[in-house]
Amino acid sequence: MEMMDNHSVNVDPGATKEPLKRGVDINYGIDDSPPWYLSIFMALQHYLTMIGAIVSIPFILTPALCMEDEDPSRGIIISTMIFVTGLVTYIQATWGCRLPIVQGGTISFLVPTLAILNLPQWKCPSKDAIAALDPEAKTELWQVRMRELSGAIAVSALFQVFIGYTGLVGKLLKIITPLTIVPTVSLVGLTLFSHASETASKHWGIAVGTIFLMTLFSQAMTGVNVPTLKYRKGHGLQIGWFPLFKLFPVLLTIMIMWSLCAILTATGVFPEGHPARTDVRIRVLQDASWFRVPYPGQFGIPTVTLAGVLGMLAGVLACTVESISYYPTVSQMCGAPPPPLHAINRGIGTEGLGTVLAGLWGSGNGTNTFGENVGAIGVTKVGSRRVIQWAALIMILQGVLNKFGAAFILIPDPVVGGIFCVMFGMIAAFGLSALQYVDLRSARNLYILGLSIFFPLVLCLWLKDHPDFIQTGNETLDSTLSVLLGTSILVGGCLGCVLDNLIPGTAEERGLVAWSKEMALEVDSDETIESNTFDFPYGMSLLRRWRWTRHVPFLPTYKMKL
C-alpha cells in the first residue's frame, strides 16, 4: 500500500526534471519481495478486488443452468471459481508471462454460454415442472448442462493454448484491428442488458441506490482517504491514510446495500418471499458443507459438441485480445521492462491452459486477466509478483471453504442488478474506448462501426425469438449455426474484422499506427537479454546450455526474429 512506503525521497522542486523511468514511483517492483506479513495484507487487497467480479457471474449462470435459487450447489460453483482462479493465477505469475496479474472468471464467456443454453434441447422447463422433480432429477437437470459447458470451454481453449505456445499470437494481431476489438468487447456488455434489467427490476429502489453508491465511491470519493493505524519500526503506532473508496468501491457498495436490505428484512418492510430480503436463500448457507475440495469432473465427465466448442471460441478470442492489451500496461506499472515476445506467447498459452482447467473443474466459465487488479497495482504502487502469489494462495484456501462461497449467494437480487448495470456498462465502454485510435471523421469507419454493432444485436435477438428457424435437416449443423449466429460477440467481431480488412483505408485512418504504438510489443532486444524478470524461476542454466531452446517461442531463451 502507498501508506506503507517508508522510502520516499524529497525532491528539490527547482531541480531539472528528467524523463520518467519505468517504475520510478513504485513501492515494490515486480521482482521485489516485501516482508511476508505485508505481502499477506497486500495480497488480501487483490483478493477483495476480484471477489466482486467473481461472485456476479453465477447470478447469471446458475438460472440458465436451470438451478433453483435455494440450491446449495450454487455455493459449490462459486467456490470452484475462486479455487480455479487461485490455481491459474499462481501458474501464470510463476511460470506463465510472470507478470503480477490475476486470472479469473470472465463475463466474456457468458455471451456464448447463454447462446448455447438457448438451444431448444437446453432450454429450462417451467418452474413448476422443476419444483415437481425429485432431488436427484433436479441435480441431473443442471449438471448435464454444466457438462456441456465444461466440454465446450475446455476444448475451445485449446485454440488459445495453440496460438500462444506456437507463437502465432503476433500474426493473429495483424488482422485484429481496433474496429475488430470495439464490437467484440462492447457487445459483451450490450448483449447482457436484459439480465441486468431482470435482476434490478425486482426492486428498483435498492438497485438505483446501489448504482448511486457505486458512482459516489468510485468516481466522486476516490481522493478521500480514511485514517488508519500503522506500525513503523522504531516509531511505534502512527496514523496513516488509506484510499478505501478508491480500492474497494464494489465491496463497500455491496456491504452497505446488503446491510440495508438486512435491516428492512428484520423490520418487516420486505414481506416474506420478497427478492430483496436477505433470508430468501438462507437454506443455501445452512446446507453448504464447511470444507470441500473442488476436483476435475466433479459434476461428471464433460461432453463435447461442435456447436458448443465453436460458440465458446468467441469468448476465447475476446479474452485473448483483452489480455494482450493489458501486458504492456502492467509491465510498465510494476517497473519491469517491456514484455518480450516469449513472455506474451507464454502468457496467452498459459491463459488458455487455465481455461482448460476451469472447464475440467466445472466452473462453468473460463479465465482472463482481471482489469480490476491491474487498476489496483496502479493505486497501491505494489507490483510485486510475490504479492500475487500470496493472493493466489488465499484464493485456493477460500475455494476450499464452501460456506464462504455459499454466503455470497445471499446477496439480494436487486443489489446484484445494480452492480450489473454498472459493470456491464463499463465493459461496453471499455470496448468503445478502442475508438480513440481510429479516425471517427471517416465515413468508412463509421459504416463499419455501426453495422458491426447494430446487426449482431438484431440477428441474435431475432434468433432468440425464433430458435427453430434454422432447419438444414442435420441436427448437429442446426445447433452449430444457431450458436454461432446467436453469439453477438462472434458475429460482431467477425463482421468488423472482415469489413476493416477488405474495405480500402489508410493505416492512419484505420488506427493501425496508433494501435501498434500502444501495444508496444516490439522491444529492445538488448534490454530483454540483460533482464531476467521474465525468466523461469528454476532451470534457466539448463535451458541456456541447449541451443534448440532458442527456437521454442514460449521459452525465455527464445531468440526473436526481427
Side-chain angles (χ1 to χ4, degrees), residues 229-427:
L229 287 176
K230 68 173 183 178
Y231 177 79
R232 186 178 177 186
K233 189 176 182 180
H235 298 272
L237 291 175
Q238 294 181 331
I239 297 293
W241 296 92
F242 181 64
L244 180 67
F245 303 105
K246 194 171 187 177
L247 280 177
F248 307 124
V250 177
L251 190 66
L252 281 174
T253 300
I254 291 176
M255 290 175 62
I256 292 174
M257 296 307 298
W258 197 353
S259 300
L260 176 61
C261 289
I263 294 173
L264 297 178
T265 299
T267 56
V269 175
F270 293 147
E272 288 289 335
H274 193 283
R277 288 180 64 95
T278 54
D279 59 358
V280 173
R281 292 184 287 265
I282 192 66
R283 193 169 65 86
V284 175
L285 184 62
Q286 295 172 343
D287 294 346
S289 58
W290 278 102
F291 299 99
R292 184 181 183 277
V293 180
Y295 57 91
Q298 58 184 331
F299 305 129
I301 300 176
T303 57
V304 179
T305 61
L306 180 62
V309 171
L310 294 180
M312 283 297 179
L313 192 59
V316 170
L317 293 175
C319 291
T320 300
V321 175
E322 187 177 351
S323 289
I324 290 177
S325 66
Y326 281 129
Y327 290 171
T329 303
V330 174
S331 182
Q332 184 169 10
M333 290 170 64
C334 61
L341 189 59
H342 67 76
I344 296 172
N345 292 338
R346 198 165 59 250
I348 295 301
T350 304
E351 182 175 314
L353 179 62
T355 300
V356 172
L357 295 179
L360 296 179
W361 248 268
S363 69
N365 206 266
T367 59
N368 190 27
T369 301
F370 267 124
E372 295 89 341
N373 293 88
V374 174
I377 294 175
V379 172
T380 61
K381 293 182 171 59
V382 175
S384 170
R385 184 188 299 115
R386 183 61 54 84
V387 170
I388 296 298
Q389 291 170 334
W390 274 104
L393 178 61
I394 293 175
M395 296 171 200
I396 292 174
L397 292 177
Q398 291 291 357
V400 175
L401 299 174
N402 209 34
K403 286 277 190 186
F404 182 83
F408 285 99
I409 295 296
L410 302 182
I411 302 175
D413 286 345
V415 176
V416 177
I419 297 295
F420 281 169
C421 290
V422 176
M423 291 182 62
F424 295 166
M426 286 300 298
I427 292 172

Side-chain angles (χ1 to χ4, degrees), residues 38-356:
L38 287 184
S39 294
I40 293 177
F41 181 76
M42 292 183 287
L44 186 61
Q45 290 184 117
H46 277 283
Y47 172 77
L48 294 175
T49 300
M50 53 73 63
I51 194 65
I54 281 286
V55 300
S56 66
I57 295 174
F59 278 89
I60 293 179
L61 176 62
T62 52
L65 290 173
C66 312
M67 187 182 294
E68 291 183 309
D69 289 347
E70 297 183 1
D71 194 325
S73 298
R74 298 181 73 173
I76 294 177
I77 292 177
I78 290 183
S79 296
T80 300
M81 284 186 175
I82 297 174
F83 180 87
V84 174
T85 294
L87 183 64
V88 178
T89 296
Y90 182 83
I91 296 174
Q92 183 73 285
T94 307
W95 296 97
C97 67
R98 288 184 54 78
L99 288 170
I101 56 177
V102 174
Q103 302 282 142
T106 170
I107 294 176
S108 297
F109 276 94
L110 283 179
V111 179
T113 293
L114 296 175
I116 293 172
L117 296 179
N118 192 51
L119 292 173
Q121 64 267 35
W122 299 124
K123 282 192 174 181
C124 297
S126 65
K127 291 185 177 181
D128 293 337
I130 296 177
L133 298 175
D134 58 73
E136 291 185 2
K138 289 180 180 179
T139 300
E140 179 61 19
L141 184 66
W142 70 264
Q143 286 192 356
V144 68
R145 288 161 174 78
M146 178 62 83
R147 292 194 291 270
E148 172 73 10
L149 295 180
S150 298
I153 291 170
V155 175
S156 65
L158 294 177
F159 173 79
Q160 197 174 22
V161 174
F162 176 77
I163 65 172
Y165 290 138
T166 59
L168 292 179
V169 174
K171 295 182 180 180
L172 184 63
L173 286 177
K174 293 180 180 179
I175 63 171
I176 298 179
T177 63
L179 285 176
T180 304
I181 296 171
V182 171
T184 302
V185 180
S186 62
L187 282 170
V188 172
L190 295 176
T191 304
L192 297 173
F193 75 92
S194 61
H195 298 278
S197 173
E198 182 179 351
T199 51
S201 63
K202 293 181 179 180
H203 194 289
W204 280 110
I206 297 296
V208 172
T210 302
I211 296 173
F212 172 77
L213 289 183
M214 273 284 291
T215 305
L216 181 66
F217 295 155
S218 66
Q219 304 301 317
M221 299 183 66
T222 54
V224 179
N225 297 332
V226 299
T228 55
L229 287 176
K230 68 173 183 178
Y231 177 79
R232 186 178 177 186
K233 189 176 182 180
H235 298 272
L237 291 175
Q238 294 181 331
I239 297 293
W241 296 92
F242 181 64
L244 180 67
F245 303 105
K246 194 171 187 177
L247 280 177
F248 307 124
V250 177
L251 190 66
L252 281 174
T253 300
I254 291 176
M255 290 175 62
I256 292 174
M257 296 307 298
W258 197 353
S259 300
L260 176 61
C261 289
I263 294 173
L264 297 178
T265 299
T267 56
V269 175
F270 293 147
E272 288 289 335
H274 193 283
R277 288 180 64 95
T278 54
D279 59 358
V280 173
R281 292 184 287 265
I282 192 66
R283 193 169 65 86
V284 175
L285 184 62
Q286 295 172 343
D287 294 346
S289 58
W290 278 102
F291 299 99
R292 184 181 183 277
V293 180
Y295 57 91
Q298 58 184 331
F299 305 129
I301 300 176
T303 57
V304 179
T305 61
L306 180 62
V309 171
L310 294 180
M312 283 297 179
L313 192 59
V316 170
L317 293 175
C319 291
T320 300
V321 175
E322 187 177 351
S323 289
I324 290 177
S325 66
Y326 281 129
Y327 290 171
T329 303
V330 174
S331 182
Q332 184 169 10
M333 290 170 64
C334 61
L341 189 59
H342 67 76
I344 296 172
N345 292 338
R346 198 165 59 250
I348 295 301
T350 304
E351 182 175 314
L353 179 62
T355 300
V356 172

